[in-house]
Amino acid sequence: MEQLADRGLTTAEIAERTARGQVNEVSRRSSRSLSAIVRANVLTLFNAVIAALWVLIMIFGQWQDGLFGLVIVANSAIGIVQELRAKRTLDRLAVVNEAPVRVRRNGAEAEIPPRKVVLGDLILLCPGDRLLVDGEIVGSGGLEIDESLLTGEADPVHKAVGDRVLSGSFVVAGTGSYVATKVGDDAYAAKLAQEASAFGLAHSELRAGITRFIKYITWLVVPIGLLLTWSQLNKAEDFGQAVTGAVAGIVTMIPEGLVLMTSIAFAVGVVRLGRRRCLVQELPAIEILARVDVLCLDKTGTLTAGGMNLSEVRPLADDPLTTEALAALANLEETPNPTVQAIRVAHPAPPGWNATTTVPFSSARKWSGAEFGGKGAWVLGAADVLLTPETPEYGQAADLAATGLRVLALGRVATLNDPVGSVEPRALVVLEQRIRPEAADTLRYFAEQGVAIKIISGDNPESVSAIATALGVPGGRDAVDARTLPEDDPDKLSEILDTNTVFGRVTPHQKRLFVSALQARGHTVAMTGDGVNDVLALKDADLGVAMGSGSGATRAVAQVVLMDDDFTSLPSVVGEGRRVLANIERVSSLFLTKTFYALVLSLLAGIFGLAFPFTPRHSTLVNALTIGIPAFFLALAPSNERAKPGFVPRVLRLAIPWGVVCALAVHLSYLLAETRGATPEESRTAAVVTLFLVTWWALVLIARPYLWWRVSLVGAMVVLFALSLAVPFTREFFALTLSDPADDVVSVAISVVAALALTAVFRVVRPADKSPVQDRPTDTLEV
């Protein structure tokens, strides 16, 4: 083991183990396989039902009435293509997002992709690293591992040589190395995550709501479909005509395009965010984006750039060792954080300073230290943690922090065992933080959109307050010191969180409590972060957003990763989620209106023993022009409205009365034409004209506000329907006739009355709900 810790594996050993398949190959959670995509889009219940009905038409009816069978091809092809686009985007960004693994091979350090790790590799660890495989520790320099994501225990665990470590944990302090003993699907985290890491498209509140729609509709379609079939067999003159009428009703009842549009909206959202270098690691995250009403921001790395500049080292006592001690502490870390790196640039390692005992920095302690033999024990950390409030040095540090600077204290201690409160201050180390220039505009956007901002930082409250005030954050001057918060009183903590915006000296454990407290008050919480101290909160938040330059652990647990660390991407990320939910609600109203008017027409035909008022080819024409084609564009339109709860009842409150109005209008047109002695083809034409005009008016209402492309869209549908009536070939193909103008006038008159009824329903339902349908999108359309 000692030899392995020195040199690692050789090239020959790596090749041998790779050939045996002892490699860390695990499937990515960001997308499913090609075969799974094809199966999910082709082998669906809707496709099976439509295929069976198409076969019946091909056997007993006319082939023109089998046009609805193309829905199978269109739904499957569009769904597969869009999801493959999303898969390529996800997989490409997932590879970029993979934090490289540091290993020692052939006696030299190297960085390799996680999937190239083999059994027996010597893996090197530093703060922020996520353990990707199981193993045994062979080197430890104050190594502390957080296993809370596996065990639920929040306290870091000290690891010594010989200790076992599990994949899924991460390093919070110190350095070390371990030998991989289990890789790939044999690793502990891989076994736990096998189900949770699957492709997430099927697990979301939105899709759950649509699944409920389908379940309800299935309960209705089966008995009503049987009733309709029985009535058509009794009414029709021949069996083929009966089958055609029954199939027309059943096909129209099925909202076959609703699931497709939802899948397309998700997939296009992934592609759009991918173009902005945003990696969506779990597709339901797109939906959660729209529901977010509280955004928790970690100051460092989010509001401020990751790097820092050393402003000054202000001596507090006459000690000739001060400068050398600062340099020695700063150069102990193998992988320094931005704060230590800024000090190292100005103070290289001094000779003769050899540490005998070290305590690495951690976010929970907020200090690091070392004992240097005869030169004494020294600590470096947050001034307001190491110093006592009664000292003048504490006041100096507080005054500096109030200007937005980061202030560390350097001091001597008698022992490294709990030195807080017994530090002999020697210097204040002052660092400048760089505010991101785009942060103010981004925060202003969220304020305008009704998203509450909570700035949560481990830094001094005065320093955080200064940054927040400079960015114009409301309430930024009134920073709360998290050390004074009542952690054992969730209600009180929730109240403080609701009424305050800026929090300093927040520990990783408290960040997690903050998220839980906000969620307990019914908030949908998004959390951003880039450091290892943010991991637990990112994991518990409804939506975790990590910076691309952040630690491997944060990127692993976040649902969204901003690959370019571009804070201005957040409005686009949130806007994409809002677009998806608002537009799916919009098109759901169209699809379910169709379902309910078909159900009512089928009931009327079944109960009164009447012929169904149109054939499958008529249904195909009208549905394509008033639902299918428009829904495709409306599902991809911009939207800015935050999603509201109650998606299912809100859609049903509109779709059910609309469906009833449409059905009654169509049924009345058909009956009046038949009563006046019209032929079956003339009666069906009158019903089709009414059906188109009424459902087209529903489209007009749903398409609001009337931007140029929306007006063009609804206008184009009228032109296409008019052409289908005017052109002899299409008129004959769709079995339409205009031989009796009186029937057409009656149909138009009935349609006008029905349109007024639809408008009345819309005005009653939508303003009361303040639905996303009435949003205020931009005047551009991106497809």
Side-chain angles (χ1 to χ4, degrees):
M1 189 70 73
E2 291 181 1
Q3 183 181 6
L4 180 60
D6 181 54
R7 66 166 173 81
L9 296 178
T10 64
T11 302
E13 290 171 329
I14 295 167
E16 177 188 352
R17 297 177 192 203
T18 302
R20 290 204 300 260
Q22 297 173 327
V23 186
N24 189 42
E25 288 284 357
V26 291
S27 57
R28 296 191 187 94
R29 64 175 176 170
S30 58
S31 62
R32 50 184 171 182
S33 65
L34 174 61
S35 59
I37 291 174
V38 172
R39 286 196 304 271
N41 284 278
V42 175
L43 304 180
T44 67
L45 174 63
F46 283 160
N47 282 357
V49 172
I50 292 173
L53 296 174
W54 180 80
V55 170
L56 289 176
I57 287 294
M58 290 298 99
I59 295 174
F60 300 107
Q62 299 181 12
W63 70 269
Q64 292 94 331
D65 287 318
L67 284 177
F68 65 87
L70 295 176
V71 170
I72 298 176
V73 179
N75 280 5
S76 301
I78 295 173
I80 290 171
V81 169
Q82 291 289 1
E83 199 169 322
L84 284 177
R85 288 181 65 204
K87 172 181 169 61
R88 285 196 298 270
T89 301
L90 286 170
D91 289 347
R92 183 174 63 252
L93 289 178
V95 170
V96 177
N97 183 54
E98 286 180 346
V101 180
R102 289 194 309 132
V103 298
R104 183 174 292 132
R105 291 177 170 181
N106 298 308
E109 291 188 15
E111 289 190 348
I112 61 173
R115 60 186 180 279
K116 295 294 184 181
V117 173
V118 300
L119 191 68
D121 250 325
L122 178 63
I123 302 172
L124 309 178
L125 298 173
C126 63
D129 283 349
R130 181 171 64 109
L131 279 68
L132 298 172
V133 296
D134 300 351
E136 179 182 333
I137 297 294
V138 295
S140 175
L143 186 64
E144 297 179 25
I145 303 290
D146 190 314
E147 298 178 338
S148 59
L149 297 181
L150 303 176
T151 66
E153 296 293 333
D155 295 332
V157 180
H158 293 270
K159 294 293 182 180
V161 174
D163 287 348
R164 181 187 177 206
V165 289
L166 298 175
S167 54
S169 53
F170 57 93
V171 181
V172 293
T175 58
S177 58
Y178 75 107
V179 174
T181 57
K182 290 184 178 181
V183 298
D185 292 332
D186 293 332
Y188 184 74
K191 291 179 180 179
L192 284 181
Q194 188 170 7
E195 291 186 11
S197 64
F199 183 79
L201 185 61
H203 306 286
S204 71
E205 184 178 338
L206 174 63
R207 294 182 65 85
I210 292 174
T211 300
R212 287 170 61 191
F213 286 146
I214 295 170
K215 180 175 68 175
Y216 298 154
I217 291 165
T218 301
W219 291 344
L220 295 171
V221 165
V222 173
I224 294 176
L226 291 174
L227 175 64
L228 176 64
T229 302
W230 176 81
S231 70
Q232 297 306 292
L233 289 174
N234 288 334
K235 170 72 175 178
E237 298 176 357
D238 60 75
F239 188 76
Q241 186 178 347
V243 169
T244 299
V247 168
I250 296 173
V251 166
T252 310
M253 289 186 228
I254 300 173
E256 68 281 350
L258 184 55
V259 175
L260 170 69
M261 289 302 165
T262 305
S263 300
I264 289 176
F266 273 127
V268 171
V270 169
V271 173
R272 284 177 173 173
L273 291 177
R275 291 171 182 166
R276 297 184 175 98
R277 301 279 293 167
C278 297
L279 169 61
V280 181
Q281 303 203 90
E282 297 175 6
L283 290 187
I286 290 183
E287 174 185 341
I288 299 171
L289 294 170
R291 305 186 189 281
V292 167
D293 60 354
V294 175
L295 176 61
C296 296
L297 299 172
D298 178 60
K299 175 180 68 66
T300 305
T302 304
L303 300 180
T304 61
M308 304 190 76
N309 299 320
L310 179 62
S311 177
E312 66 170 314
V313 177
R314 182 173 296 188
L316 298 175
D318 186 13
D319 191 334
L321 297 180
T322 296
T323 302
E324 290 187 1
L326 176 63
L329 285 174
N331 284 274
L332 280 178
E333 299 280 352
E334 292 184 17
T335 54
N337 59 33
T339 302
V340 174
Q341 181 63 40
I343 299 173
R344 289 173 68 157
V345 170
H347 298 279
W353 285 71
N354 299 314
T356 57
T357 304
T358 62
V359 177
F361 176 83
S362 77
S363 298
R365 279 190 296 269
K366 301 192 184 301
W367 60 268
S368 62
E371 188 168 346
F372 298 97
K375 299 181 186 297
W378 295 76
V379 292
L380 176 68
D384 58 334
V385 172
L386 293 177
L387 306 179
T388 56
E390 297 79 18
T391 62
E393 294 86 358
Y394 186 97
Q396 291 183 45
D399 291 340
L400 290 168
T403 65
L405 298 169
R406 175 175 287 188
V407 184
L408 305 180
L410 172 71
R412 302 189 73 153
V413 292
T415 175
L416 293 176
N417 295 325
D418 194 19
V420 176
S422 62
V423 177
E424 300 174 15
R426 290 295 181 265
L428 295 179
V429 182
V430 185
L431 301 108
E432 294 178 338
Q433 304 177 85
R434 299 192 290 266
I435 298 178
R436 293 184 183 273
E438 69 277 8
D441 290 339
T442 304
L443 292 177
R444 193 176 305 113
Y445 164 83
F446 284 115
E448 293 171 353
Q449 294 298 316
V451 178
I453 298 294
K454 306 295 176 183
I455 299 178
I456 300 174
S457 175
D459 284 355
N460 181 288
E462 287 75 18
S463 176
V464 184
S465 177
I467 297 293
T469 302
L471 292 171
V473 176
R477 296 184 182 276
D478 303 319
V480 177
D481 191 328
R483 291 171 293 188
T484 65
L485 293 177
E487 295 185 19
D488 56 348
D489 188 345
D491 292 335
K492 182 65 175 177
L493 179 61
S494 298
E495 182 180 343
I496 294 173
L497 287 169
D498 266 347
T499 56
N500 292 274
T501 302
V502 180
F503 301 85
R505 287 294 173 236
V506 185
T507 65
H509 172 65
Q510 284 180 313
K511 288 186 178 182
R512 196 176 194 180
L513 288 179
F514 283 13
V515 171
S516 299
L518 289 167
Q519 291 171 329
R521 288 224 162 184
H523 294 296
T524 301
V525 182
M527 175 78 192
T528 71
D530 69 338
V532 67
N533 59 319
D534 302 316
V535 171
L536 301 179
L538 286 171
K539 184 68 175 177
D540 286 356
D542 297 289
L543 180 71
V545 181
M547 298 296 166
S549 63
S551 69
T554 57
R555 286 185 284 164
V557 301
Q559 288 89 5
V560 176
V561 180
L562 305 180
M563 302 298 293
D564 291 334
D565 289 358
D566 187 359
F567 187 48
T568 58
S569 297
L570 278 178
S572 299
V573 171
V574 173
E576 196 60 46
R578 292 181 172 185
R579 179 193 63 79
V580 170
L581 256 68
N583 293 333
I584 291 304
E585 179 168 332
R586 190 189 305 274
V587 300
S588 294
S589 300
L590 290 176
F591 280 105
L592 293 179
T593 295
K594 173 178 79 79
T595 293
F596 284 110
Y597 77 62
L599 288 171
V600 174
L601 283 173
S602 298
L603 274 175
L604 292 173
I607 292 173
F608 296 106
L610 304 172
F612 198 78
F614 48 81
T615 64
R617 73 184 80 177
H618 298 141
S619 174
T620 301
L621 173 64
V622 174
N623 291 341
L625 297 181
T626 60
I627 301 174
I629 297 173
F632 181 81
F633 290 95
L634 292 176
L636 305 180
S639 179
N640 294 317
E641 183 75 14
R642 192 175 78 234
K644 308 293 193 303
F647 166 70
V648 172
R650 189 165 52 247
V651 171
L652 291 179
R653 279 199 295 270
L654 186 65
I656 291 176
W658 272 13
V660 172
V661 170
C662 291
L664 293 177
V666 170
H667 191 69
L668 182 59
S669 291
Y670 182 82
L671 284 181
L672 289 178
E674 195 175 53
T675 302
R676 296 180 67 256
T679 64
E681 188 174 85
E682 291 172 343
S683 299
R684 285 194 290 266
T685 299
V688 169
V689 170
T690 300
L691 178 63
F692 172 80
L693 292 176
V694 177
T695 53
W696 176 81
W697 187 253
L699 170 65
V700 169
L701 295 175
I702 286 293
R704 298 191 309 174
Y706 301 128
L707 306 174
W708 68 266
W709 66 267
R710 296 175 187 265
V711 173
S712 300
L713 178 66
V714 296
M717 298 304 102
V718 173
V719 172
L720 290 175
F721 183 74
L723 289 175
S724 66
L725 289 173
V727 177
F729 171 76
T730 54
R731 189 169 62 244
E732 182 179 349
F733 183 88
F734 287 107
L736 299 172
T737 180
L738 299 175
S739 57
D740 189 348
D743 291 336
D744 300 322
V745 172
V746 171
S747 297
V748 171
I750 292 173
S751 300
V752 170
V753 175
L756 293 175
L758 294 184
T759 304
V761 171
F762 186 82
R763 288 179 175 175
V764 169
V765 172
R766 285 312 190 194
D769 289 335
K770 296 182 181 178
S771 164
V773 172
Q774 295 192 44
D775 59 356
R776 189 170 46 84
T778 62
D779 60 354
T780 58
L781 175 64
E782 301 176 19
V783 178

